Structure formats: structure tokens, C-alpha cells
Amino acid sequence: MKFWLLSPLLLSLVACGEQELTVNQVCEEKPGICTDLNDDSHCKLERRHVIMGRYDEQKMPSDKNKYKLLIDFEKYSKCIELASGIEHIKLKEKKTTRVNGYLTSLKEIKRLNDETVSSLDPNLLHYHWTRNQSESHLAKFLQAEQKKELETPELQIALASYYMKRNPQKTIDILHHALSLYPADAEVDPEIYTALTTIYYKQKKFPQSYHWALLAENAGVQRIEFKNIKAELAQQKIETDSIEDIADSTIESIQTGQFKVPAF
């Protein structure tokens, strides 16, 4: 279960007077942050995020902007690596710009990795732990937990990835806390629902497992093992109607930003 994947980051937008800068405007003002990327339509969204992220990082090289750019470059690198292997029949130089873009992504990821290795920013601590298998960064990340510095849903989900196999009950508490941190009408990472479904199922707490499976389904998750869960409920002669009512209440509480742990 990929808890380290974090839900998608919001695109950083830079104001130009009262209007947002476009990619074309950024590339005209700072051509150096565009010319070493691909210049065709492949990976258009990922390229846009990288360009705007590079612009932000140059203006303000903060840990926050460096972390965002690292994630943007990872997504761009994955996309352009695939595209760089596609022959462009009529314009073969297009393939070359994709290769250049891929090489740029590797270079920039290394640069940002090196520049942030000493950072105590929780997102970067998690990054270096998961990407570089750094135990020292993990230790500092867990220290940040004790200092209450991980108070975002994304960081709580990252923390849950550590405790998942070590302490299932603590993982449940962390994921519940993550839900309590979402504001009203926020997009909730469905990994929370699938994780809770799985943990409760393994604990043989089938009403709770069914409850979170319903929320996962509501969030668009497919391939939920309702058949197995319902079979266990039927064997224990537990009706599903009341659980479904609780699930409806939980969905409403999350949507209004007032999540409370459901009682069974």
C-alpha cells in the first residue's frame, strides 16, 4: 500500500499584476528554465508544473518550493522517460528534446536532493527517508511527530506508512487524525479508506471494515472485496443497514470538515 504517495500538490501560481503568469510569459522572462525541457506536446501538464515550480524556486529558494519542485520533477521525469523512447517519424529532433528533458530532470532531482539533505522540513525528511532509505532522516521525521510538526493530512498519511506493519492500532489513530485535519469540501486521499478497510478486516472487526469499504467505494475506489466482508458479517448475523447509516454520517462529517471517529 503506497502511503508515501502523497495526494497531488496544488500548482503554484505566480501573480503578474492581477493576472497569473502563463508558461509562455515565464519562458520569455526566464528562457533558461524552459529550453532544457522538451518542446513538444508530450507531458504537457508535468512540464507546466516544472516550469512554474522552477520559476518559484528561483524567486524564493525555500524548502517548501524545493520540495514541490522535487515532486514535480519526479512526475515529469517518469513521463518524459517514456516519451523519450518514442520515435517521432517526421521530426526526429523532437525525440532529442525529450531526451534532453529527461536528462535535465535527473540532473535537477540530484541538485535538489543534494541541496535539501540537511533540511529539517518534515516533507523533505520524509522524501529523503523514502527515496534514499535514510534512517537518519526517518529518525528526524519521527522526532517531528513528537513535536507535533506533522499536522497535515499528507504528513499523517506518510507517518501511517511507517506504523502500518509495526503498530496497526496506532496506524488507525493516525489515519483518523488525518481525516480530522481536512477542511470542509477537501479532496480526501482514498488511501485512508482502503487502509482502514484492510486493517480492520485483518483485525476481524468486520463492521468497521465494511464501513470504511463503503467510504472507499464512495470515493471511487474499485475492486473492493465487499463479498468477503459481507460473508463475514452474515456469518456473525450482523445487519448492514445500520453500518450503512453510520457510513453516510461519516461521509457528511468529512465533507463538512468535522470528522469524528464513528462509534459501532
Side-chain angles (χ1 to χ4, degrees):
M1 194 163 291
K2 298 180 180 178
F3 283 94
W4 57 87
L5 294 179
L6 305 179
S7 318
L9 294 172
L10 293 176
L11 175 63
S12 178
L13 299 174
V14 182
C16 179
E18 294 183 356
Q19 296 181 340
E20 297 166 355
L21 280 175
T22 66
V23 168
N24 288 339
Q25 289 171 329
V26 170
C27 291
E28 287 177 7
E29 180 182 338
K30 301 278 188 179
I33 65 178
C34 303
T35 54
D36 55 355
L37 305 174
N38 66 301
D39 59 5
D40 57 9
S41 62
H42 276 80
C43 308
K44 187 176 181 179
L45 180 61
E46 291 83 0
R47 179 178 179 271
R48 173 185 172 82
H49 286 192
V50 162
I51 289 171
M52 302 307 288
R54 292 176 104 179
Y55 185 83
D56 287 347
E57 195 231 350
Q58 283 192 9
K59 287 176 67 83
M60 184 180 293
S62 62
D63 283 344
K64 179 181 178 181
N65 285 340
K66 287 181 184 294
Y67 172 72
K68 180 185 179 303
L69 186 54
L70 263 170
I71 300 301
D72 288 341
F73 258 121
E74 284 191 339
K75 294 176 181 177
Y76 173 75
S77 185
K78 183 177 181 179
C79 179
I80 204 64
E81 179 183 15
L82 177 63
S84 66
I86 302 173
E87 283 285 356
H88 196 291
I89 298 174
K90 293 183 179 179
L91 299 172
K92 291 195 175 182
E93 65 271 15
K94 293 292 184 182
K95 180 181 178 181
T96 301
T97 69
R98 294 173 205 163
V99 172
N100 289 341
Y102 177 61
L103 294 176
T104 294
S105 71
L106 297 182
K107 180 181 70 174
E108 284 290 270
I109 289 171
K110 183 180 186 305
R111 173 184 72 83
L112 292 162
N113 187 85
D114 292 345
E115 289 181 3
T116 59
V117 71
S118 298
S119 172
L120 294 178
D121 178 88
N123 283 303
L124 287 166
L125 291 174
H126 179 256
Y127 181 92
H128 286 282
W129 161 41
T130 56
R131 300 326 192 262
N132 304 322
Q133 291 75 54
S134 171
E135 292 298 319
S136 63
H137 285 90
L138 169 59
K140 292 174 183 176
F141 184 75
L142 296 178
Q143 289 173 9
E145 175 197 2
Q146 300 301 317
K147 298 175 184 177
K148 304 295 183 182
E149 295 174 351
L150 307 181
E151 293 301 294
T152 68
E154 295 79 13
L155 287 169
Q156 288 294 305
I157 294 169
L159 183 64
S161 71
Y162 173 77
Y163 287 108
M164 183 69 175
K165 293 182 179 180
R166 296 171 175 86
N167 190 334
Q169 185 55 52
K170 182 167 184 175
T171 303
I172 289 173
D173 294 339
I174 291 169
L175 293 174
H176 284 164
H177 183 51
L179 287 172
S180 74
L181 295 174
Y182 280 106
D185 298 321
E187 183 178 350
V188 176
D189 189 337
E191 287 282 1
I192 295 176
Y193 305 143
T194 57
L196 289 168
T197 300
T198 300
I199 296 171
Y200 278 122
Y201 187 85
K202 289 181 177 178
Q203 293 181 339
K204 300 186 183 302
K205 296 180 179 179
F206 302 115
Q208 290 91 330
S209 181
Y210 182 61
H211 167 274
W212 291 108
L214 289 170
L215 268 75
E217 181 185 50
N218 182 71
V221 178
Q222 299 178 353
R223 292 187 174 181
I224 303 169
E225 297 296 332
F226 277 117
K227 183 178 179 180
N228 293 342
I229 301 173
K230 286 185 174 181
E232 297 289 353
L233 290 171
Q235 187 173 355
Q236 296 182 14
K237 297 181 179 180
I238 298 174
E239 295 292 334
T240 60
D241 290 350
S242 61
I243 302 173
E244 291 165 5
D245 290 340
I246 295 172
D248 289 339
S249 297
T250 303
I251 291 170
E252 183 179 355
S253 72
I254 293 171
Q255 290 174 341
T256 57
Q258 298 178 337
F259 170 76
K260 293 182 179 179
V261 179
F264 291 89

